[in-house]
């Protein structure tokens, strides 16, 4: 039976419209970053709990019909999903074709950057918190810095530009080397962005009093570089406040998710690897799409579940308020 076309948008009751979908393609990861996961890892989703490629592509197709213009693949570590190149090709074949980005730790990208670009991947953000091998091994609990560096180079060679680098600073581990990381990125033409550490770690170890805030990052960078803010008007819904470095054209970004939240301009929605739609990283609830889909729900019924969840999106994430409660799922299981 033919279904009516999906015409609704991903609107919430505060007037925001989601156009950027973050899809977690796996909850597994090959690093154990201290701000994200415990040393022993986490209980991973079992295969039957995860969306198959057909299910994932079907849901992304519905999101695109609902107005999503950019799909960002993330995880866990997205490169660990064996079918990733095929998934990218199938998303790139949608009409209208969304922009396709990926957030990755870069391990394995030396082999995969070219096939992913050929399949339709447009851009990558590669997470790298330090270029000091000892600090990297301490922070990620793995000795894989050379692999990440090779992944970055391969991304640039494959044309996945601008190659952006995401970094989190942790006190006592890599906070004193943030300017070294910026210098290293500038030399190679990578666009660096620092992200404030958020309360999304599985161990619940986040502490507002020791977190490195945007101001501190800026102060530390200013010890070596001249950092000049770009006009706010150029920011739009982008989470990063950008600064010219030494007069430009190179820039550095700082994402002050905690100390200067940008929820009012948020245009994001999320799909977890097990098929739950989440309207916010910090949401206490999510709506199951996998169950209804496996029970035979139509595209319109799934679209109604998605728009309903988006409508309920809270005005702000509430970190810092007295009643803030960290979400049950950690970042790696939601999709960063
Ligand atoms: N494995 C991929 C990666 O490393 O980019 C994708 C998933 S990872 C969860 C996505 C991003 O979230 C990374 O840039 C990581 O540094 C960041 N992240 C993880 N936990 C975080 C936290 N508690 N606060 C801020 N950023 C965090």
């Amino acid at each position: 039976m033919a279904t009516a076309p999906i015409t609704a948008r991903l609107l919430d009751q505060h007037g925001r419209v989601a156009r950027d979908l973050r899809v977690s393609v796996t909850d597994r990861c090959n690093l154990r970053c201290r701000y994200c996961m415990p040393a022993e890892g986490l209980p991973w989703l079992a295969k039957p709990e995860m969306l198959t490629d057909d299910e994932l592509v079907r849901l992304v197709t519905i999101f695109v019909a609902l107005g999503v213009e950019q799909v960002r693949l993330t995880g866990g570590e997205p490169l660990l999903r064996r079918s990733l190149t095929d998934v990218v090709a199938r998303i790139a074949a949608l009409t209208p074709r969304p922009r396709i980005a990926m957030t990755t730790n870069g391990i394995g990208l030396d082999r995969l950057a070219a096939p992913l670009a050929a399949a339709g991947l447009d851009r990558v953000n590669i997470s790298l918190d330090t270029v000091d091998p000892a600090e990297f091994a301490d922070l990620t609990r793995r000795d894989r810095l050379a692999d990440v560096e090779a992944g970055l180079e391969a991304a640039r060679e494959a044309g996945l530009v601008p190659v952006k680098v995401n970094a989190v600073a942790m006190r006592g581990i890599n906070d004193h080397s943030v300017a070294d990381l910026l210098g290293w990125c500038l030399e190679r033409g990578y666009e660096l962005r620092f992200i404030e550490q958020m309360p999304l770690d599985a161990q619940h170890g986040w502490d507002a009093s020791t977190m490195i805030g945007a101001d501190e990052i800026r102060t530390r960078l200013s010890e070596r570089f001249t950092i000049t803010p770009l006009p706010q008007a150029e920011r739009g819904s982008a989470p990063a406040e950008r600064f010219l470095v030494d007069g430009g054209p190179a820039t550095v970004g700082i994402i002050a998710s905690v100390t200067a939240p940008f929820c009012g301009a948020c245009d994001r929605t999320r799909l977890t690897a097990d098929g739950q739609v989440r309207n916010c990283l910090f949401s206490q609830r999510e709506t199951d799409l996998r169950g209804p889909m496996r029970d035979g729900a139509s595209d319109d019924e799934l679209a109604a579940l998605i728009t309903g969840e988006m409508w309920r999106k809270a005005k702000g994430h509430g970190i810092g308020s007295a009643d803030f409660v960290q979400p049950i799922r950690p970042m790696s299981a939601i999709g960063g």
Side-chain angles (χ1 to χ4, degrees), residues 55-326:
E55 290 171 338
L56 191 153
V57 173
R58 179 175 173 203
L59 291 179
V60 172
T61 307
I62 296 171
F63 275 98
V64 168
L66 289 168
V68 158
E69 295 167 0
Q70 169 162 292
V71 176
R72 176 172 292 278
L73 304 170
T74 180
E77 175 43 50
L79 295 177
L80 293 181
R81 185 161 178 138
R82 289 216 181 94
S83 57
L84 187 68
T85 308
D86 193 40
V87 167
V88 168
R90 291 177 68 181
I91 296 173
L94 297 179
T95 309
R97 181 207 193 279
R99 296 186 301 280
I100 308 173
M102 177 172 67
T103 302
T104 170
N105 62 29
I107 298 171
L109 204 54
D110 54 342
R111 279 182 301 109
L112 287 167
L116 284 167
L121 183 67
D122 298 305
R123 289 197 302 104
V124 284
N125 288 46
I126 299 180
S127 304
L128 174 63
D129 306 313
T130 173
V131 285
D132 177 293
E135 283 178 15
F136 183 94
D138 185 12
L139 200 151
T140 66
R141 302 188 181 102
R142 297 287 185 273
D143 186 12
R144 306 295 298 267
L145 176 59
D147 298 297
V148 180
E149 291 185 10
L152 276 156
E153 261 176 56
R156 184 178 40 207
E157 279 163 21
L160 298 171
V161 290
V163 176
K164 293 190 181 173
V165 171
N166 288 357
V168 176
M170 288 193 84
R171 195 166 302 284
I173 300 184
N174 62 335
D175 52 335
H176 55 274
S177 65
V178 293
D180 294 339
L181 181 60
L182 177 56
W184 188 91
C185 287
L186 291 174
E187 277 168 27
R188 290 159 181 79
Y190 305 140
E191 203 177 306
L192 176 63
R193 300 126 44 88
F194 288 95
I195 311 172
E196 284 179 346
Q197 188 186 347
M198 295 178 278
L200 286 168
D201 57 313
Q203 319 84 284
H204 290 229
W206 183 85
D207 179 352
S209 65
T210 56
M211 184 201 82
I212 314 272
D215 289 348
E216 187 173 342
I217 298 271
R218 200 173 150 176
T219 304
R220 285 184 180 267
L221 296 179
S222 300
E223 287 163 7
R224 193 165 330 155
F225 302 95
T226 305
I227 303 291
T228 327
L230 279 166
Q232 274 290 328
E234 293 184 18
R235 183 165 167 187
S237 61
E241 183 179 2
R242 289 170 69 221
F243 301 83
L244 284 180
V245 183
D246 291 340
T251 60
V252 63
I254 305 185
I255 303 181
S257 327
V258 178
T259 60
F262 37 85
C263 304
C266 181
D267 67 350
R268 280 170 268 289
T269 178
R270 294 169 189 278
L271 177 64
T272 64
D274 55 350
Q276 315 293 304
V277 57
R278 290 181 68 92
N279 59 33
C280 171
L281 264 179
F282 294 95
S283 180
Q284 290 296 335
R285 47 161 297 145
E286 45 196 28
T287 290
D288 179 31
L289 302 176
R290 186 193 65 197
M293 180 164 51
R294 290 184 181 171
D295 288 343
S298 69
D299 286 359
D300 276 357
E301 286 164 341
L302 294 169
L305 290 172
I306 296 169
T307 53
E309 183 58 35
M310 290 314 294
W311 181 251
R312 288 186 280 266
K313 180 164 169 148
K315 196 169 181 188
H317 59 41
I319 303 174
S321 69
D323 57 354
F324 174 78
V325 180
Q326 182 172 335

